[in-house]
Amino acid sequence: MGAMSSTKISGGAIGSNAVACFGSALIAIVGICLIMGIAHAQTASRNGTEVVFDLSHPIPNPIDFNWFTPGTKREHGAQQAMWEPLFLLDEQTGTLEPWLGLEIRANATQNEWTLKLRKDVFWSDKQPFNADDVVFTANLAINHDDLPAAEAATFRAEVESVQKVDDLTVTFKLRKPNPRFAIENFGGAMFSSFLIMPQHIWKDAKDPKAFTFFKADKAGKLLQPIGTGPYVLKTIDDKEAVWQRNDDWWGVKAKFLSLPEPKELIWRYSPDAVSSYQAIKGNDIDAGRELSPDDFAALKADNPKVIGWDAAKAWNDPCARQLEINLDYHIGNPGSYWNDQKLRQALSLLIDRQEIADVAYKGATVPSQTMFLENGAMGSIIKAVVDDHSGLSPRADIPKAQALIEAEGFAKGANGIYKKGSDELSLAINVNGDLDQDVKSVQVLVAQLKAAGIAARAVPVTTAELWGKVIPPGNYEAVYSWLSCGSITEPWTSMSRYTKDKYVALGYRSPGFSNTGRWNTAGTAAYTTIIDEIGTMPLEIEQPAGAGGTKLVANPDIPKRVVDAYKILNDEMPFIPLVQSAKIIPFNTTYWTGWPTMSDNYAPPMHSWSRAQLIIHRLKKAH
């Protein structure tokens, strides 16, 4: 039937042409009508009561809202405006903030968790939201291996069974103890979380994988999708989704939150970075896509109403940049020497991280002290590592590095490059050539290493090549990456990516992009023992409080064991942390204020993430 046309689907009426086409058969085959382009688009215009968000990709199938299946079906407003999370994770404090859920607690052995739901929550069709919805959705994921969404797969791997205790209480029995179960599944730490669906609608789906969560009645009124959020779908096509405020939202009656001020939210597709730039410059969109430091500076000069996270520093993405070293690359490549841990230590000492931040990022980011995200919640972990002298310096120590290199039998040749016999000490660094910021960083890194005596060179590859042919099978000597990504409020998630059980031989795909550098030494085994222990530790423990009571506090034993593990990392240096990953997201204050900033960091600026719920509730009309 060809590519989808720019067809608009209206919540009020699907369109007389569609009805005339199929008559009484409309409900069964309305999707076919729409894909054929029979319901015609309505032109949207700016009136100042709506907030417009940039969408970096088209909506491939506008009538499919089944988040369990592949495709971009959430970030066009569904998970920011229509569906609500059970909790939202505060990356500054590490706490789960109540939303649809009030609290979630583990038993003493961390293998059973009890969820308490907020009362008086309703779906937009006035049906109550309760434990039946949670249990039903959980069982959908558990019982259907063919629902492949990452959140469903994670949940399915961890949960053995789920049980309703009462209308507002649910228990989850895990396959094994997991102190991170709540934040991994319900916190929406990165992008999204496990989303609860309405049982009264989904129960009629004979095949959950094929269910689109979209249908209309005979009059053409939109019945689905629905959510508990303060917005309902108004119109959608392959280039734009429009959400209308539901003034009967449960949150007002329950005195949870006031209605958001914007009457409409629009996610609008910009076909490229240039058109997105021009749209926010011309006040046609309010929240743009990521920009480089140079482009952001130019945009602010073009439109003084544009702001970012901060005038100097950008928001730190959870995936900090690092240099991954392939310890097995010398197998079949005898001229590679980076399986020598002393040389890896020297390599780290040769790197001026501050220069990468200043030159490649124009000062928008900061050097990494550890493998971890530099944010509030990880602060105590980072401090413990740094205080134990395992942190990284922002500046290079070239004399110390060169002493290590020369102690391994290398001497500088006439060209200034270290050699051992006829072999030059070289390093090929793969980098994603599609990411200009990463390419700039590697250019700075290569220049530093060359000046110090390493024959370094950049090897740009496409995104597909990097994540398909280069990283998973270990087809690299070094790669500029973000493979420690994961930890936001606790250390185990990132640290567990380098344990001995993740090791596979060259040529075989690393599990989940973990330990792709093939670190497999006696140090790896000792490190793994510590990480396995951290993995069973409760994140919080009870301590005595006043008047004979108790209070929950962060488990003080976790930083202690992290320090022990980090000593091994610092000694063996299987990867080298470099700089934090700066994300500059522009916001236009012409129509709306209240956007997150460094001085008011109530939410990350990523408006495609589910935590954009927080942003929407903070926006105020500009006067």
Side-chain angles (χ1 to χ4, degrees), residues 436-469:
D436 184 59
Q437 193 64 63
D438 286 5
V439 172
K440 290 179 181 177
S441 298
V442 171
Q443 288 171 346
V444 176
L445 180 58
V446 165
Q448 291 178 359
L449 298 180
K450 281 184 175 180
I454 310 295
R457 61 189 176 92
V459 184
V461 294
T462 66
T463 302
E465 288 174 317
L466 186 73
W467 296 105
K469 298 179 180 179

PDB file of all heavy atoms in Angstrom, residues 436-469:
ATOM      1  N   ASP A 436      29.235  13.963  15.597  1.00  0.00           N
ATOM      2  CA  ASP A 436      30.270  14.976  15.433  1.00  0.00           C
ATOM      3  C   ASP A 436      31.002  15.264  16.733  1.00  0.00           C
ATOM      4  O   ASP A 436      32.221  15.459  16.754  1.00  0.00           O
ATOM      5  CB  ASP A 436      29.637  16.255  14.872  1.00  0.00           C
ATOM      6  CG  ASP A 436      30.672  17.329  14.574  1.00  0.00           C
ATOM      7  OD1 ASP A 436      31.587  17.067  13.771  1.00  0.00           O
ATOM      8  OD2 ASP A 436      30.565  18.427  15.139  1.00  0.00           O
ATOM      9  N   GLN A 437      30.267  15.276  17.845  1.00  0.00           N
ATOM     10  CA  GLN A 437      30.884  15.568  19.128  1.00  0.00           C
ATOM     11  C   GLN A 437      31.906  14.506  19.513  1.00  0.00           C
ATOM     12  O   GLN A 437      32.986  14.810  20.031  1.00  0.00           O
ATOM     13  CB  GLN A 437      29.824  15.675  20.216  1.00  0.00           C
ATOM     14  CG  GLN A 437      30.312  16.272  21.518  1.00  0.00           C
ATOM     15  CD  GLN A 437      30.753  17.719  21.363  1.00  0.00           C
ATOM     16  OE1 GLN A 437      29.964  18.588  21.041  1.00  0.00           O
ATOM     17  NE2 GLN A 437      32.031  17.973  21.567  1.00  0.00           N
ATOM     18  N   ASP A 438      31.581  13.245  19.259  1.00  0.00           N
ATOM     19  CA  ASP A 438      32.517  12.169  19.578  1.00  0.00           C
ATOM     20  C   ASP A 438      33.756  12.239  18.685  1.00  0.00           C
ATOM     21  O   ASP A 438      34.875  11.991  19.139  1.00  0.00           O
ATOM     22  CB  ASP A 438      31.827  10.814  19.422  1.00  0.00           C
ATOM     23  CG  ASP A 438      30.848  10.528  20.552  1.00  0.00           C
ATOM     24  OD1 ASP A 438      30.638  11.426  21.392  1.00  0.00           O
ATOM     25  OD2 ASP A 438      30.299   9.417  20.603  1.00  0.00           O
ATOM     26  N   VAL A 439      33.555  12.561  17.417  1.00  0.00           N
ATOM     27  CA  VAL A 439      34.687  12.690  16.494  1.00  0.00           C
ATOM     28  C   VAL A 439      35.630  13.795  16.965  1.00  0.00           C
ATOM     29  O   VAL A 439      36.864  13.623  16.981  1.00  0.00           O
ATOM     30  CB  VAL A 439      34.193  12.968  15.062  1.00  0.00           C
ATOM     31  CG1 VAL A 439      35.366  13.301  14.145  1.00  0.00           C
ATOM     32  CG2 VAL A 439      33.441  11.760  14.516  1.00  0.00           C
ATOM     33  N   LYS A 440      35.084  14.933  17.386  1.00  0.00           N
ATOM     34  CA  LYS A 440      35.911  16.032  17.884  1.00  0.00           C
ATOM     35  C   LYS A 440      36.707  15.607  19.115  1.00  0.00           C
ATOM     36  O   LYS A 440      37.886  15.954  19.265  1.00  0.00           O
ATOM     37  CB  LYS A 440      35.032  17.240  18.225  1.00  0.00           C
ATOM     38  CG  LYS A 440      34.426  17.946  17.028  1.00  0.00           C
ATOM     39  CD  LYS A 440      33.548  19.105  17.481  1.00  0.00           C
ATOM     40  CE  LYS A 440      32.903  19.820  16.295  1.00  0.00           C
ATOM     41  NZ  LYS A 440      31.994  20.915  16.739  1.00  0.00           N
ATOM     42  N   SER A 441      36.076  14.863  19.991  1.00  0.00           N
ATOM     43  CA  SER A 441      36.760  14.412  21.205  1.00  0.00           C
ATOM     44  C   SER A 441      37.928  13.497  20.871  1.00  0.00           C
ATOM     45  O   SER A 441      39.017  13.615  21.459  1.00  0.00           O
ATOM     46  CB  SER A 441      35.771  13.688  22.123  1.00  0.00           C
ATOM     47  OG  SER A 441      34.733  14.551  22.526  1.00  0.00           O
ATOM     48  N   VAL A 442      37.712  12.583  19.939  1.00  0.00           N
ATOM     49  CA  VAL A 442      38.775  11.664  19.564  1.00  0.00           C
ATOM     50  C   VAL A 442      39.909  12.401  18.850  1.00  0.00           C
ATOM     51  O   VAL A 442      41.090  12.053  19.007  1.00  0.00           O
ATOM     52  CB  VAL A 442      38.222  10.510  18.708  1.00  0.00           C
ATOM     53  CG1 VAL A 442      39.345   9.650  18.125  1.00  0.00           C
ATOM     54  CG2 VAL A 442      37.297   9.636  19.556  1.00  0.00           C
ATOM     55  N   GLN A 443      39.581  13.422  18.094  1.00  0.00           N
ATOM     56  CA  GLN A 443      40.624  14.220  17.453  1.00  0.00           C
ATOM     57  C   GLN A 443      41.549  14.855  18.491  1.00  0.00           C
ATOM     58  O   GLN A 443      42.779  14.863  18.335  1.00  0.00           O
ATOM     59  CB  GLN A 443      39.993  15.293  16.566  1.00  0.00           C
ATOM     60  CG  GLN A 443      39.366  14.752  15.289  1.00  0.00           C
ATOM     61  CD  GLN A 443      38.554  15.802  14.539  1.00  0.00           C
ATOM     62  OE1 GLN A 443      38.230  16.862  15.085  1.00  0.00           O
ATOM     63  NE2 GLN A 443      38.233  15.514  13.291  1.00  0.00           N
ATOM     64  N   VAL A 444      40.962  15.391  19.563  1.00  0.00           N
ATOM     65  CA  VAL A 444      41.768  15.962  20.638  1.00  0.00           C
ATOM     66  C   VAL A 444      42.598  14.877  21.311  1.00  0.00           C
ATOM     67  O   VAL A 444      43.794  15.059  21.588  1.00  0.00           O
ATOM     68  CB  VAL A 444      40.872  16.673  21.675  1.00  0.00           C
ATOM     69  CG1 VAL A 444      41.707  17.178  22.853  1.00  0.00           C
ATOM     70  CG2 VAL A 444      40.114  17.821  21.034  1.00  0.00           C
ATOM     71  N   LEU A 445      41.963  13.729  21.572  1.00  0.00           N
ATOM     72  CA  LEU A 445      42.647  12.613  22.229  1.00  0.00           C
ATOM     73  C   LEU A 445      43.824  12.110  21.393  1.00  0.00           C
ATOM     74  O   LEU A 445      44.925  11.882  21.913  1.00  0.00           O
ATOM     75  CB  LEU A 445      41.641  11.491  22.478  1.00  0.00           C
ATOM     76  CG  LEU A 445      42.148  10.223  23.167  1.00  0.00           C
ATOM     77  CD1 LEU A 445      42.747  10.541  24.523  1.00  0.00           C
ATOM     78  CD2 LEU A 445      40.996   9.222  23.319  1.00  0.00           C
ATOM     79  N   VAL A 446      43.614  11.941  20.097  1.00  0.00           N
ATOM     80  CA  VAL A 446      44.672  11.474  19.206  1.00  0.00           C
ATOM     81  C   VAL A 446      45.851  12.444  19.211  1.00  0.00           C
ATOM     82  O   VAL A 446      47.018  12.044  19.271  1.00  0.00           O
ATOM     83  CB  VAL A 446      44.125  11.257  17.781  1.00  0.00           C
ATOM     84  CG1 VAL A 446      45.269  11.130  16.771  1.00  0.00           C
ATOM     85  CG2 VAL A 446      43.239  10.017  17.731  1.00  0.00           C
ATOM     86  N   ALA A 447      45.556  13.736  19.161  1.00  0.00           N
ATOM     87  CA  ALA A 447      46.626  14.750  19.167  1.00  0.00           C
ATOM     88  C   ALA A 447      47.434  14.664  20.459  1.00  0.00           C
ATOM     89  O   ALA A 447      48.672  14.778  20.440  1.00  0.00           O
ATOM     90  CB  ALA A 447      46.024  16.134  18.987  1.00  0.00           C
ATOM     91  N   GLN A 448      46.756  14.477  21.588  1.00  0.00           N
ATOM     92  CA  GLN A 448      47.459  14.348  22.865  1.00  0.00           C
ATOM     93  C   GLN A 448      48.402  13.147  22.869  1.00  0.00           C
ATOM     94  O   GLN A 448      49.568  13.245  23.286  1.00  0.00           O
ATOM     95  CB  GLN A 448      46.454  14.210  24.010  1.00  0.00           C
ATOM     96  CG  GLN A 448      45.644  15.449  24.305  1.00  0.00           C
ATOM     97  CD  GLN A 448      44.630  15.204  25.416  1.00  0.00           C
ATOM     98  OE1 GLN A 448      44.523  14.100  25.964  1.00  0.00           O
ATOM     99  NE2 GLN A 448      43.874  16.247  25.759  1.00  0.00           N
ATOM    100  N   LEU A 449      47.904  12.006  22.412  1.00  0.00           N
ATOM    101  CA  LEU A 449      48.698  10.783  22.454  1.00  0.00           C
ATOM    102  C   LEU A 449      49.876  10.846  21.496  1.00  0.00           C
ATOM    103  O   LEU A 449      50.989  10.388  21.815  1.00  0.00           O
ATOM    104  CB  LEU A 449      47.811   9.574  22.152  1.00  0.00           C
ATOM    105  CG  LEU A 449      46.672   9.324  23.157  1.00  0.00           C
ATOM    106  CD1 LEU A 449      45.861   8.108  22.748  1.00  0.00           C
ATOM    107  CD2 LEU A 449      47.209   9.162  24.575  1.00  0.00           C
ATOM    108  N   LYS A 450      49.652  11.411  20.329  1.00  0.00           N
ATOM    109  CA  LYS A 450      50.756  11.564  19.367  1.00  0.00           C
ATOM    110  C   LYS A 450      51.864  12.445  19.943  1.00  0.00           C
ATOM    111  O   LYS A 450      53.059  12.144  19.817  1.00  0.00           O
ATOM    112  CB  LYS A 450      50.238  12.159  18.062  1.00  0.00           C
ATOM    113  CG  LYS A 450      49.537  11.168  17.146  1.00  0.00           C
ATOM    114  CD  LYS A 450      49.144  11.859  15.837  1.00  0.00           C
ATOM    115  CE  LYS A 450      48.549  10.882  14.842  1.00  0.00           C
ATOM    116  NZ  LYS A 450      48.167  11.550  13.570  1.00  0.00           N
ATOM    117  N   ALA A 451      51.469  13.533  20.574  1.00  0.00           N
ATOM    118  CA  ALA A 451      52.454  14.450  21.139  1.00  0.00           C
ATOM    119  C   ALA A 451      53.268  13.790  22.246  1.00  0.00           C
ATOM    120  O   ALA A 451      54.427  14.168  22.479  1.00  0.00           O
ATOM    121  CB  ALA A 451      51.747  15.689  21.682  1.00  0.00           C
ATOM    122  N   ALA A 452      52.685  12.791  22.896  1.00  0.00           N
ATOM    123  CA  ALA A 452      53.375  12.111  23.994  1.00  0.00           C
ATOM    124  C   ALA A 452      54.158  10.885  23.534  1.00  0.00           C
ATOM    125  O   ALA A 452      54.858  10.268  24.341  1.00  0.00           O
ATOM    126  CB  ALA A 452      52.368  11.706  25.060  1.00  0.00           C
ATOM    127  N   GLY A 453      54.015  10.500  22.244  1.00  0.00           N
ATOM    128  CA  GLY A 453      54.799   9.389  21.741  1.00  0.00           C
ATOM    129  C   GLY A 453      54.026   8.146  21.366  1.00  0.00           C
ATOM    130  O   GLY A 453      54.628   7.096  21.112  1.00  0.00           O
ATOM    131  N   ILE A 454      52.711   8.222  21.302  1.00  0.00           N
ATOM    132  CA  ILE A 454      51.869   7.089  20.883  1.00  0.00           C
ATOM    133  C   ILE A 454      51.380   7.341  19.464  1.00  0.00           C
ATOM    134  O   ILE A 454      50.836   8.413  19.177  1.00  0.00           O
ATOM    135  CB  ILE A 454      50.645   6.904  21.806  1.00  0.00           C
ATOM    136  CG1 ILE A 454      51.056   6.888  23.275  1.00  0.00           C
ATOM    137  CG2 ILE A 454      49.888   5.638  21.428  1.00  0.00           C
ATOM    138  CD1 ILE A 454      51.914   5.733  23.669  1.00  0.00           C
ATOM    139  N   ALA A 455      51.560   6.383  18.583  1.00  0.00           N
ATOM    140  CA  ALA A 455      51.082   6.519  17.201  1.00  0.00           C
ATOM    141  C   ALA A 455      49.583   6.224  17.165  1.00  0.00           C
ATOM    142  O   ALA A 455      49.138   5.164  16.726  1.00  0.00           O
ATOM    143  CB  ALA A 455      51.839   5.567  16.278  1.00  0.00           C
ATOM    144  N   ALA A 456      48.827   7.177  17.634  1.00  0.00           N
ATOM    145  CA  ALA A 456      47.374   7.014  17.714  1.00  0.00           C
ATOM    146  C   ALA A 456      46.713   7.500  16.433  1.00  0.00           C
ATOM    147  O   ALA A 456      47.216   8.403  15.761  1.00  0.00           O
ATOM    148  CB  ALA A 456      46.827   7.785  18.907  1.00  0.00           C
ATOM    149  N   ARG A 457      45.579   6.902  16.105  1.00  0.00           N
ATOM    150  CA  ARG A 457      44.815   7.350  14.947  1.00  0.00           C
ATOM    151  C   ARG A 457      43.337   7.059  15.181  1.00  0.00           C
ATOM    152  O   ARG A 457      42.972   6.095  15.866  1.00  0.00           O
ATOM    153  CB  ARG A 457      45.280   6.648  13.664  1.00  0.00           C
ATOM    154  CG  ARG A 457      45.137   5.150  13.664  1.00  0.00           C
ATOM    155  CD  ARG A 457      45.811   4.514  12.448  1.00  0.00           C
ATOM    156  NE  ARG A 457      45.750   3.054  12.502  1.00  0.00           N
ATOM    157  CZ  ARG A 457      44.788   2.320  11.959  1.00  0.00           C
ATOM    158  NH1 ARG A 457      43.785   2.921  11.323  1.00  0.00           N
ATOM    159  NH2 ARG A 457      44.817   1.005  12.042  1.00  0.00           N
ATOM    160  N   ALA A 458      42.503   7.911  14.628  1.00  0.00           N
ATOM    161  CA  ALA A 458      41.057   7.722  14.718  1.00  0.00           C
ATOM    162  C   ALA A 458      40.583   6.825  13.583  1.00  0.00           C
ATOM    163  O   ALA A 458      41.077   6.925  12.457  1.00  0.00           O
ATOM    164  CB  ALA A 458      40.342   9.061  14.651  1.00  0.00           C
ATOM    165  N   VAL A 459      39.623   5.953  13.886  1.00  0.00           N
ATOM    166  CA  VAL A 459      39.026   5.069  12.885  1.00  0.00           C
ATOM    167  C   VAL A 459      37.514   5.286  12.916  1.00  0.00           C
ATOM    168  O   VAL A 459      36.790   4.592  13.629  1.00  0.00           O
ATOM    169  CB  VAL A 459      39.366   3.591  13.152  1.00  0.00           C
ATOM    170  CG1 VAL A 459      38.809   2.711  12.032  1.00  0.00           C
ATOM    171  CG2 VAL A 459      40.862   3.396  13.299  1.00  0.00           C
ATOM    172  N   PRO A 460      37.021   6.280  12.184  1.00  0.00           N
ATOM    173  CA  PRO A 460      35.575   6.528  12.185  1.00  0.00           C
ATOM    174  C   PRO A 460      34.810   5.413  11.464  1.00  0.00           C
ATOM    175  O   PRO A 460      35.237   4.937  10.417  1.00  0.00           O
ATOM    176  CB  PRO A 460      35.436   7.853  11.430  1.00  0.00           C
ATOM    177  CG  PRO A 460      36.819   8.433  11.380  1.00  0.00           C
ATOM    178  CD  PRO A 460      37.740   7.267  11.384  1.00  0.00           C
ATOM    179  N   VAL A 461      33.685   5.031  12.049  1.00  0.00           N
ATOM    180  CA  VAL A 461      32.795   4.047  11.433  1.00  0.00           C
ATOM    181  C   VAL A 461      31.366   4.544  11.618  1.00  0.00           C
ATOM    182  O   VAL A 461      31.105   5.445  12.422  1.00  0.00           O
ATOM    183  CB  VAL A 461      32.956   2.640  12.056  1.00  0.00           C
ATOM    184  CG1 VAL A 461      34.333   2.073  11.770  1.00  0.00           C
ATOM    185  CG2 VAL A 461      32.693   2.671  13.557  1.00  0.00           C
ATOM    186  N   THR A 462      30.435   3.962  10.892  1.00  0.00           N
ATOM    187  CA  THR A 462      29.034   4.363  11.023  1.00  0.00           C
ATOM    188  C   THR A 462      28.444   3.820  12.321  1.00  0.00           C
ATOM    189  O   THR A 462      29.003   2.918  12.956  1.00  0.00           O
ATOM    190  CB  THR A 462      28.207   3.851   9.851  1.00  0.00           C
ATOM    191  OG1 THR A 462      28.159   2.416   9.908  1.00  0.00           O
ATOM    192  CG2 THR A 462      28.792   4.290   8.510  1.00  0.00           C
ATOM    193  N   THR A 463      27.315   4.365  12.706  1.00  0.00           N
ATOM    194  CA  THR A 463      26.617   3.880  13.896  1.00  0.00           C
ATOM    195  C   THR A 463      26.330   2.392  13.792  1.00  0.00           C
ATOM    196  O   THR A 463      26.554   1.628  14.740  1.00  0.00           O
ATOM    197  CB  THR A 463      25.299   4.650  14.089  1.00  0.00           C
ATOM    198  OG1 THR A 463      25.573   6.046  14.195  1.00  0.00           O
ATOM    199  CG2 THR A 463      24.567   4.173  15.333  1.00  0.00           C
ATOM    200  N   ALA A 464      25.821   1.966  12.637  1.00  0.00           N
ATOM    201  CA  ALA A 464      25.486   0.555  12.439  1.00  0.00           C
ATOM    202  C   ALA A 464      26.724  -0.330  12.551  1.00  0.00           C
ATOM    203  O   ALA A 464      26.675  -1.410  13.158  1.00  0.00           O
ATOM    204  CB  ALA A 464      24.810   0.359  11.086  1.00  0.00           C
ATOM    205  N   GLU A 465      27.823   0.111  11.956  1.00  0.00           N
ATOM    206  CA  GLU A 465      29.054  -0.677  12.024  1.00  0.00           C
ATOM    207  C   GLU A 465      29.581  -0.756  13.452  1.00  0.00           C
ATOM    208  O   GLU A 465      30.008  -1.826  13.914  1.00  0.00           O
ATOM    209  CB  GLU A 465      30.117  -0.059  11.115  1.00  0.00           C
ATOM    210  CG  GLU A 465      29.860  -0.237   9.631  1.00  0.00           C
ATOM    211  CD  GLU A 465      30.872   0.520   8.789  1.00  0.00           C
ATOM    212  OE1 GLU A 465      31.193   1.682   9.121  1.00  0.00           O
ATOM    213  OE2 GLU A 465      31.336  -0.048   7.792  1.00  0.00           O
ATOM    214  N   LEU A 466      29.558   0.370  14.161  1.00  0.00           N
ATOM    215  CA  LEU A 466      30.106   0.408  15.509  1.00  0.00           C
ATOM    216  C   LEU A 466      29.389  -0.568  16.429  1.00  0.00           C
ATOM    217  O   LEU A 466      30.026  -1.357  17.139  1.00  0.00           O
ATOM    218  CB  LEU A 466      30.015   1.827  16.072  1.00  0.00           C
ATOM    219  CG  LEU A 466      30.696   2.031  17.427  1.00  0.00           C
ATOM    220  CD1 LEU A 466      32.208   2.026  17.268  1.00  0.00           C
ATOM    221  CD2 LEU A 466      30.239   3.334  18.084  1.00  0.00           C
ATOM    222  N   TRP A 467      28.050  -0.501  16.411  1.00  0.00           N
ATOM    223  CA  TRP A 467      27.277  -1.315  17.356  1.00  0.00           C
ATOM    224  C   TRP A 467      26.939  -2.694  16.819  1.00  0.00           C
ATOM    225  O   TRP A 467      26.419  -3.534  17.570  1.00  0.00           O
ATOM    226  CB  TRP A 467      26.014  -0.557  17.744  1.00  0.00           C
ATOM    227  CG  TRP A 467      26.332   0.704  18.463  1.00  0.00           C
ATOM    228  CD1 TRP A 467      26.261   1.970  17.969  1.00  0.00           C
ATOM    229  CD2 TRP A 467      26.822   0.829  19.799  1.00  0.00           C
ATOM    230  NE1 TRP A 467      26.667   2.878  18.909  1.00  0.00           N
ATOM    231  CE2 TRP A 467      27.013   2.206  20.043  1.00  0.00           C
ATOM    232  CE3 TRP A 467      27.108  -0.080  20.812  1.00  0.00           C
ATOM    233  CZ2 TRP A 467      27.481   2.682  21.273  1.00  0.00           C
ATOM    234  CZ3 TRP A 467      27.579   0.403  22.029  1.00  0.00           C
ATOM    235  CH2 TRP A 467      27.762   1.758  22.243  1.00  0.00           C
ATOM    236  N   GLY A 468      27.235  -2.935  15.549  1.00  0.00           N
ATOM    237  CA  GLY A 468      26.964  -4.253  14.977  1.00  0.00           C
ATOM    238  C   GLY A 468      28.212  -5.076  14.747  1.00  0.00           C
ATOM    239  O   GLY A 468      28.310  -6.218  15.206  1.00  0.00           O
ATOM    240  N   LYS A 469      29.202  -4.494  14.077  1.00  0.00           N
ATOM    241  CA  LYS A 469      30.372  -5.267  13.655  1.00  0.00           C
ATOM    242  C   LYS A 469      31.624  -5.004  14.480  1.00  0.00           C
ATOM    243  O   LYS A 469      32.550  -5.812  14.464  1.00  0.00           O
ATOM    244  CB  LYS A 469      30.683  -4.962  12.187  1.00  0.00           C
ATOM    245  CG  LYS A 469      29.579  -5.351  11.224  1.00  0.00           C
ATOM    246  CD  LYS A 469      29.951  -4.992   9.789  1.00  0.00           C
ATOM    247  CE  LYS A 469      28.844  -5.379   8.814  1.00  0.00           C
ATOM    248  NZ  LYS A 469      29.205  -5.003   7.417  1.00  0.00           N
TER     249      LYS A 469
END
